[in-house]
Amino acid sequence: QVQLKESGPGLVQPSQTLSLTCTVSGFSLSSYGVIWVRQPPGKGLEWMGVIWGKGNTNYNSVLKSRLSISRDTSKSQVYLKMNSLQTEDTATYYCARGQTDYWGQGVMVTVSS
Amino acid sequence: DVVMTQTPPSLSVAIGQSVSISCKSSQSLVYSDGKTYLHWLLQSPGRSPKRLIYQVSNLGSGVPDRFSGTGSQKDFTLKISRVEAEDLGVYYCAQTTHFPWTFGGGTKLELK
């Protein structure tokens, strides 16, 4: 069955870089896009970006200068890197397949010194 | 960016009651392929979002037919017939027609 699972550090210091991994199973990254969405505590959902089956990407313009999404199809993994983190980046980060049909469980990331 | 406006922000319902949630977009959500990429998600307490309906009116896999979606262009509605306890949580509409993809602010469904 289709599964996605996020992993990464729970705590990141301000101004540092966040690195998250989304490990997928039950489908091929060459056939489906994967998106990243984040949710600050008690708030709504924000789309961050997508990596498509062909490997091209689209980013939310408000994050574009800090954000990079890549993948390794042989490992069935999608990566998110975002630099210059601030406290406002504290959130639960989700990966999801394509048009939001399957979601991971999310990983909570706190930005704090 | 496309602004998605959901109303009401919260709903208090009794089990067995029917409810509707509205979602209005600031631009038409019809894509160049003729399809409308408007979806409805439910985030149950402490859980990740789950897609209920895709492309306005198509039920997701395993989603009960108590859920239905209607609408076109910029005006969309999610209806839940005969609310059950498992339906409680926050409902979001989401558009994937225009970049950046955007979500409504959410409608919290609570028990009366």
Side-chain angles (χ1 to χ4, degrees):
Chain A
Q1 70 277 30
V2 173
Q3 291 185 323
L4 302 94
K5 186 173 183 179
E6 306 87 348
S7 58
L11 180 66
V12 179
Q13 294 197 336
S15 80
Q16 298 301 302
T17 296
L18 172 66
S19 294
L20 297 176
T21 299
C22 174
T23 302
V24 311
S25 59
F27 68 97
S28 169
L29 292 178
S30 298
S31 299
Y32 288 88
V34 169
I35 67 173
W36 287 94
V37 173
R38 67 178 181 176
Q39 184 174 37
K43 296 190 176 181
L45 302 167
E46 179 183 35
W47 179 79
M48 302 179 71
V50 58
I51 185 163
W52 297 100
K54 292 186 177 181
N56 52 320
T57 54
N58 290 96
Y59 298 116
N60 192 326
S61 56
V62 298
L63 300 171
K64 189 172 184 177
S65 63
R66 301 195 288 141
L67 182 63
S68 174
I69 299 174
S70 60
R71 69 181 186 182
D72 185 332
T73 55
S74 67
K75 294 183 177 179
S76 294
Q77 291 182 329
V78 176
Y79 310 108
L80 176 147
K81 288 190 188 304
M82 189 163 68
N83 59 31
S84 305
L85 253 61
Q86 300 302 319
T87 54
E88 310 85 80
D89 295 312
T90 293
T92 297
Y93 287 75
Y94 297 99
C95 60
R97 190 178 78 163
Q99 300 276 333
T100 73
D101 59 353
Y102 290 91
W103 292 67
Q105 63 192 23
V107 59
M108 178 66 197
V109 175
T110 301
V111 181
S112 175
S113 55
Chain B
D1 297 2
V2 177
V3 177
M4 305 295 287
T5 303
Q6 272 184 251
T7 54
S10 65
L11 273 173
S12 184
V13 300
I15 298 300
Q17 186 180 345
S18 294
V19 296
S20 291
I21 299 170
S22 171
C23 177
K24 296 184 189 295
S25 58
S26 60
Q27 299 177 33
S28 171
L29 299 184
V30 180
Y31 190 57
S32 55
D33 63 4
K35 297 179 181 179
T36 301
Y37 293 92
L38 182 283
H39 320 293
W40 290 97
L41 312 172
L42 167 60
Q43 187 172 33
S44 301
R47 306 293 298 274
S48 55
K50 173 188 174 182
R51 193 178 73 176
L52 300 174
I53 286 175
Y54 64 96
Q55 293 175 34
V56 181
S57 59
N58 297 287
L59 226 52
S61 175
V63 176
D65 60 7
R66 299 181 288 100
F67 293 91
S68 62
T70 59
S72 63
Q73 300 287 333
K74 298 166 56 177
D75 196 348
F76 306 93
T77 301
L78 173 71
K79 182 177 180 180
I80 313 170
S81 304
R82 307 177 308 279
V83 168
E84 298 186 4
E86 65 185 29
D87 301 338
L88 304 181
V90 181
Y91 289 80
Y92 294 96
C93 58
Q95 69 82 18
T96 60
T97 296
H98 304 285
F99 288 118
W101 295 356
T102 49
F103 298 87
T107 295
K108 188 172 185 179
L109 190 65
E110 299 174 303
L111 262 184
K112 187 178 291 183

